[in-house]
Amino acid sequence: MTLRGGLGPPLTPEALREKSAESLVATIYVGRPGTPMPPWHRFLSEAEAEWIVAQLLAGFPTE
Ligand code: HEM
């Protein structure tokens, strides 16, 4: 909810700046095997995963 991390890493624009959009989309779509990050492909299309990454990289409005 805060995107500042907890079990997972922070998902703020600053934290994600060095990462490629493609790798972040893949992380959402197929998960990270061996970590608690689950795959979301059963619930999301790849286009929706791309949309989420675009929102994360742009940062959400503060209000
Ligand atoms: C739709 C919901 C979720 C989204 C959009 C999402 C997104 C992401 C993204 C983009 C990363 C990569 C961050 C990076 O490379 O710095 C990540 C990593 C991670 N996420 Fe998620 N996540 C979600 C739900 C969850 C849930 C439910 C869990 C655990 C219960 C989780 C646990 C983790 C963990 C542990 C990592 C780090 C994996 C590693 O060590 O490489 N995530 N998540």
Side-chain angles (χ1 to χ4, degrees):
M1 288 182 67
T2 65
L3 301 177
R4 283 189 231 111
L7 174 60
L11 299 178
T12 56
E14 299 73 39
L16 299 178
R17 198 177 323 156
E18 305 289 313
K19 315 221 167 182
S20 77
E22 291 78 11
S23 73
L24 295 170
V25 170
T27 294
I28 293 171
Y29 203 64
V30 302
R32 292 250 177 98
T35 80
M37 176 62 181
W40 295 93
H41 59 81
R42 289 173 59 209
F43 310 102
L44 297 173
S45 68
E46 205 161 353
E48 286 168 330
E50 286 168 6
W51 182 88
I52 291 171
V53 167
Q55 305 312 305
L56 291 172
L57 293 175
F60 290 93
T62 49
E63 293 183 33

